Amino acid sequence: MTKKILVLIPVKDKHKLQLEETAPNGIFTYASPLTVTEKMAAESHIIIGNVPPKLLRASEKLELLQLNSSGADAYIKEGLLAPGTMLASATGAYGKAVSEHMLAMLLSLQKKLHLYRDAQNRKEWADEGEVVSITDSRILVLGLGDIGRSFAALTKALGAYVIGMKRRPGTAPSCVHELLPTEELKQVLPTVDAVVSFLPNTPETKHLFDRTLLSLMKPSAILLNGGRGNSVDPDALYDALSSGALYAAGLDVTDPEPLPPGHKLWSLPNVYITPHVAGKYHLPETLDRIVEIACSNLSSHLEGKPLKNLIDLTTGYCK
């Protein structure tokens, strides 16, 4: 049976060639999330890219939805995908891009570059005082998927003591010094100098960092969020940052998103906010990696072999 394959990522000619060589008998349609129609989605056997969920409506023809994102929370709602439809993420594509972005935020905050930038904008030659070293830092990484492991490896290589945390810890990977279960979060928070979250959007992670957890962190600590914005309560975070209960925060994701122009977090001098740009396709290599993952899963699906990054629809995590 000839498969109709809908591609919604901004592929270049070299990527089209890769995909079409992988499925030489496929009928390819190229569009974008903004131009795709309900008819295109309904007629497709395979979709590569994050199709607007409202266009799916439990399509009976859809066999495989290969996302271009690591997160899959928008697609695991009951009744959205027809029974038997496989959902796969692009986990493995974003490690370098997002981890480097979040590391840049951490180093900038530790060296007070955010304050020096503000002074520069005011045309002031100001000395902001003592800084800290990443070499002497204890860093907690929440979520040790591809991005979390990449970030952990970078900070460990710079001399930080890195603690990883997962729902099911198992054997500690080489990128961390310790691997602990999430049940120990409250015990660990008072001992670390920086916390970076790469957690997905699940009912368990929504506003995980509330007033209680934030109050357990050192006043000198830094909170970084490169996962999903709603894992941090924005009001609690504002209060902690503005009162001095928390030193600084680096956010590439926010709640809500986009962050409204009048939101009070914008006004704080001790917070870096970037508009969810750590990933996407800002690093060209990321798109290449997404296409490689898509080609691998496309080939495996056509040959009846197991796929990479299959999502458990009950948890939102990779199986």
Side-chain angles (χ1 to χ4, degrees):
M1 177 183 175
T2 300
K3 303 295 184 181
K4 292 185 177 181
I5 303 168
L6 176 61
V7 180
L8 301 178
I9 54 179
V11 288
K12 300 176 182 178
D13 288 343
K14 67 174 183 177
H15 300 132
K16 290 181 180 180
L17 182 61
Q18 282 180 263
L19 289 164
E20 291 169 14
E21 286 181 344
T22 301
N25 296 321
I27 299 174
F28 283 83
T29 299
Y30 296 94
S32 75
L34 296 178
T35 61
V36 64
T37 65
E38 186 173 346
K39 182 179 179 182
M40 287 180 188
E43 292 179 348
S44 298
H45 300 104
I46 298 166
I47 298 177
I48 299 173
N50 287 31
V51 61
K54 64 182 179 181
L55 299 185
L56 291 175
R57 298 184 179 180
S59 171
E60 296 296 331
K61 291 185 178 180
L62 186 61
E63 301 169 7
L64 169 63
L65 173 55
Q66 171 63 62
L67 302 177
N68 58 262
S69 63
S70 295
D73 47 282
Y75 299 91
I76 62 173
K77 296 176 182 177
E78 187 174 356
L80 185 65
L81 298 177
T85 302
M86 291 182 287
L87 177 66
S89 75
T91 295
Y94 295 95
K96 178 186 286 189
V98 178
S99 63
E100 289 183 354
H101 185 99
M102 302 311 294
L103 176 61
M105 279 189 162
L106 176 59
L107 290 172
S108 294
L109 291 166
Q110 287 185 323
K111 300 305 180 184
K112 297 186 176 179
L113 299 189
H114 59 301
L115 300 180
Y116 286 110
R117 181 66 185 191
D118 290 347
Q120 178 183 339
N121 289 334
R122 297 191 302 267
K123 300 179 177 60
E124 293 180 2
W125 189 272
D127 187 326
E128 296 294 345
E130 290 184 357
V131 297
V132 297
S133 170
I134 192 169
T135 304
D136 304 316
S137 298
R138 287 173 58 88
I139 297 175
L140 173 64
V141 181
L142 288 168
L144 277 184
D146 173 57
I147 298 172
R149 290 194 303 271
S150 180
F151 181 88
L154 289 175
T155 50
K156 186 180 180 185
L158 290 172
Y161 186 88
V162 185
I163 303 168
M165 193 162 277
K166 293 178 65 177
R167 292 180 303 148
R168 297 187 294 269
T171 303
S174 61
C175 59
V176 301
H177 294 91
E178 293 183 62
L179 182 60
L180 302 174
T182 52
E183 289 80 4
E184 296 187 27
L185 179 58
K186 289 184 178 180
Q187 289 72 39
V188 174
L189 280 178
T191 73
V192 296
D193 302 298
V195 177
V196 57
S197 171
F198 296 113
L199 294 172
N201 177 13
T202 69
E204 292 75 24
T205 61
K206 184 174 181 180
H207 287 188
L208 174 67
F209 280 89
D210 55 12
R211 296 182 190 280
T212 298
L213 282 193
L214 292 173
S215 70
L216 295 175
M217 295 177 66
K218 295 179 181 180
S220 59
I222 295 170
L223 175 66
L224 302 172
N225 191 5
R228 288 294 179 264
N230 66 1
S231 64
V232 179
D233 180 337
D235 293 328
L237 179 62
Y238 174 85
D239 290 344
L241 290 168
S242 61
S243 68
L246 187 66
Y247 172 66
L251 311 173
D252 185 54
V253 289
T254 60
D255 183 22
E257 194 170 293
L259 194 65
H263 200 284
K264 53 190 178 181
L265 278 174
W266 286 115
S267 64
L268 291 176
N270 54 341
V271 59
Y272 264 135
I273 299 173
T274 52
H276 206 154
V277 294
K280 296 185 180 178
Y281 310 116
H282 293 88
L283 184 66
E285 180 182 323
T286 300
L287 181 56
D288 295 339
R289 292 187 177 190
I290 291 170
V291 173
E292 289 171 4
I293 292 169
C295 285
S296 175
N297 275 346
L298 177 58
S299 175
S300 294
H301 176 62
L302 295 176
E303 295 175 10
K305 297 179 180 178
L307 274 62
K308 299 178 180 178
N309 300 343
L310 273 180
I311 297 296
D312 183 334
L313 298 182
T314 61
T315 66
Y317 288 91
C318 286
K319 293 182 179 179

